[in-house]
Amino acid sequence: MHALQFTAESSSNGLVEREFTLGQIPGTLWTPGSAPAPLILMAHNNGLPRRETRLVARARYYAAYGYAVATIDAPGCGDRPASAADAQARADLQRAMRAGEPVDEIFESFVGPLVDRAVPEWQATLDALLTLPGIDGPVGYSGWTAVGIGLAAVEPRIAALGLFAGGYVPRARRAQARQVTAPLLFLLQWDDEGNPRQRALDLFDAFGSKEKTLHANMGGHVGTPWFEVEDGGRFYDRHLGRPTVSPA
């Protein structure tokens, strides 16, 4: 098992931001001044780097709320070079979308293996982070739905899931949703051009969670209202324990 190593550190407005590596996995950890802090794992959808502006804004908000927040670059994303096969699959996908051709099988062959690689990396990251002073359980997850399903199905330390119903969820992960029992907050953009509405509603119905909430808002893929981030804070409060500070 690789050791987690911090490579850079900065602080502002009471938050500490640290870059780290875990073997070949690069990541970022935000922590509040208070301790101990419950942990939220924040996974971005395929293709987005962990330093994307709106992802960092969400991470900093939850850290200011009193949580430790960690994110890593998925294989082939951000600071991690894509393989030739991944690059070709992404190009094939973009070409098919531009041409209005069916994309399900391309997504399946590309995103399915990507998620399969990402889940154990998140488990290794979780193992390493929970050894750090000032970070405590329980653990929440926010972001990429396909990875969240895979992780929560095999990882009992995940106590709450905040998922964005955007992007493609491979068939194997859709079936696995029935094994997920953690409390769920599921965000759906009603007019998301890349996520058929009925497919998202069927997935929400499939989750095995006894407590699950669906929030639907008008707008496209990147139009999730900021108040959903604030509601997410209250959701994590209920299931991870209310933090000791609140954002201004």
Side-chain angles (χ1 to χ4, degrees):
M1 178 177 176
H2 296 286
L4 187 146
Q5 296 183 331
F6 289 110
T7 58
E9 179 175 322
S10 61
S11 60
S12 63
N13 299 322
L15 303 181
V16 178
E17 179 177 323
R18 287 177 285 179
E19 301 294 324
F20 66 83
T21 59
L22 183 65
Q24 299 299 312
I25 306 170
T28 307
L29 173 66
W30 292 266
T31 51
S34 56
L39 175 64
I40 296 175
L41 304 177
M42 186 167 288
H44 49 73
N45 280 1
N46 168 45
L48 288 181
R50 71 183 190 280
R51 297 190 185 92
E52 202 276 337
T53 302
R54 59 193 172 95
L55 304 179
V56 171
R58 292 207 323 265
R60 291 184 61 84
Y61 180 86
Y62 288 134
Y65 214 95
Y67 293 104
V69 183
T71 185
I72 60 175
D73 278 331
C77 302
D79 292 337
R80 302 178 69 179
S83 68
D86 284 350
Q88 183 60 54
R90 198 182 297 276
D92 291 343
L93 176 61
Q94 293 170 347
R95 179 198 55 76
M97 292 180 71
R98 287 194 300 267
E101 298 173 357
V103 298
D104 273 15
E105 292 309 316
I106 301 175
F107 267 122
E108 192 73 36
S109 63
F110 174 44
V111 178
L114 184 65
V115 173
D116 291 344
R117 299 198 302 270
V119 168
E121 291 189 350
W122 274 108
Q123 284 190 286
T125 302
L126 176 58
D127 289 340
L129 291 171
L130 288 180
T131 67
L132 299 177
I135 295 181
D136 199 1
V139 178
Y141 174 94
S142 172
W144 189 357
T145 296
V147 170
I149 292 171
L151 185 62
V154 299
E155 183 49 73
R157 291 174 291 184
I158 300 296
L161 284 168
L163 301 181
F164 288 79
Y168 180 80
V169 177
R171 287 187 287 266
R173 299 303 176 185
R174 298 177 72 83
Q176 199 176 30
R178 303 184 188 281
Q179 303 172 29
V180 175
T181 58
L184 169 67
L185 176 61
F186 197 68
L187 303 183
L188 170 63
Q189 286 302 103
W190 203 244
D191 307 301
D192 188 344
E193 61 283 357
N195 185 47
R197 186 185 306 160
Q198 191 58 52
R199 178 179 287 180
L201 294 173
D202 291 344
L203 178 59
F204 175 75
D205 190 49
F207 278 95
S209 307
K210 291 183 179 179
E211 179 185 330
K212 54 183 178 181
T213 301
L214 171 67
H215 287 184
N217 291 282
M218 304 301 292
H221 184 64
V222 297
T224 303
W226 183 257
F227 64 71
E228 292 290 3
V229 178
E230 299 169 347
D231 284 350
R234 289 184 282 273
F235 168 75
Y236 291 120
D237 284 354
R238 292 196 298 273
H239 301 291
L240 306 185
R242 182 173 295 276
T244 57
V245 298
S246 295

